[in-house]
Amino acid sequence: MSRPEHSSPSVRSRQPRPALPRATRSIAVAGAVLIGATMLAACTAPSPGDADPTSSRTPSAVAPESPTPTSTPTPSVATPALVPDGTADDNLPYFASIVAAVAAGPDSVAGRAYIDALVAGGFDKSAMQVTNDQSTVGNAAESIQFSVLWAGECLVGQVGPATGAPVAVVLPAVGAGECLIGQTRPIDW
């Protein structure tokens, strides 16, 4: 595709400007910097020490004080809780909080610690699965997974050195109502 030619009389070619002497350029740059700094200083709000408390002048950026000081209550962050009639998504924050708490403790790569904490949190042990803490040759697992089947979906957690930060997600159930694929260990304690 060819470029359209411009034959408009309003288009002018740029003529090179003569170079300014070095001293003139330095003065022009210094002047521009000084003007910019002055404009920036004019745009900043005064610091608390600049205002005279007896002055009737109120800076425009600061709202005038009300005659009676009021305190606004700080909103509290709701702690996640088990939602017995909720979905897996409803219970994910609670599941994730339990996973994070165990991961921060001394048994961060022990499957039993997660199962026990989830049971203590109100999840049904019979709906859980967990992978082995050790490989088939006896080495510590690079990561472990554990799950809770909840309302036809799975709350799945994964932790370990290969995982980095603890992971907690909702995934669809597989097979006959299970969550983890592959070899899991019996939860017989």
Side-chain angles (χ1 to χ4, degrees):
M1 189 171 184
S2 66
R3 225 181 208 192
E5 292 187 28
H6 294 286
S7 60
S8 169
S10 64
V11 176
R12 293 185 273 177
S13 63
R14 287 184 95 180
Q15 297 294 325
R17 286 196 247 169
L20 294 174
R22 179 175 242 172
T24 304
R25 282 192 311 240
S26 297
I27 291 171
V29 169
V33 169
L34 182 60
I35 290 170
T38 303
M39 290 172 52
L40 182 61
C43 293
T44 60
S47 65
D50 292 345
D52 179 4
T54 60
S55 172
S56 61
R57 194 175 99 197
T58 303
S60 60
V62 178
E65 290 185 28
S66 61
T68 54
T70 59
S71 63
T72 305
T74 305
S76 62
V77 177
T79 304
L82 185 67
V83 183
D85 295 329
T87 65
D89 283 323
D90 294 337
N91 284 292
L92 181 60
Y94 183 57
F95 179 84
S97 70
I98 293 172
V99 171
V102 176
D107 294 324
S108 63
V109 192
R112 182 175 182 157
Y114 292 93
I115 299 302
D116 291 347
L118 291 166
V119 169
F123 290 100
D124 179 13
K125 186 188 267 188
S126 68
M128 296 183 190
Q129 289 179 283
V130 64
T131 60
N132 291 307
D133 294 351
Q134 296 183 338
S135 70
T136 55
V137 293
N139 295 329
E142 289 293 314
S143 70
I144 60 169
Q145 294 180 344
F146 41 89
S147 65
V148 178
L149 181 63
W150 189 278
E153 293 185 293
C154 298
L155 293 159
V156 179
Q158 183 172 348
V159 295
T163 304
V167 176
V169 296
V170 174
L171 297 173
V174 294
E178 294 189 344
C179 296
L180 302 179
I181 298 174
Q183 185 177 9
T184 59
R185 71 189 241 200
I187 301 174
D188 55 6
W189 61 88

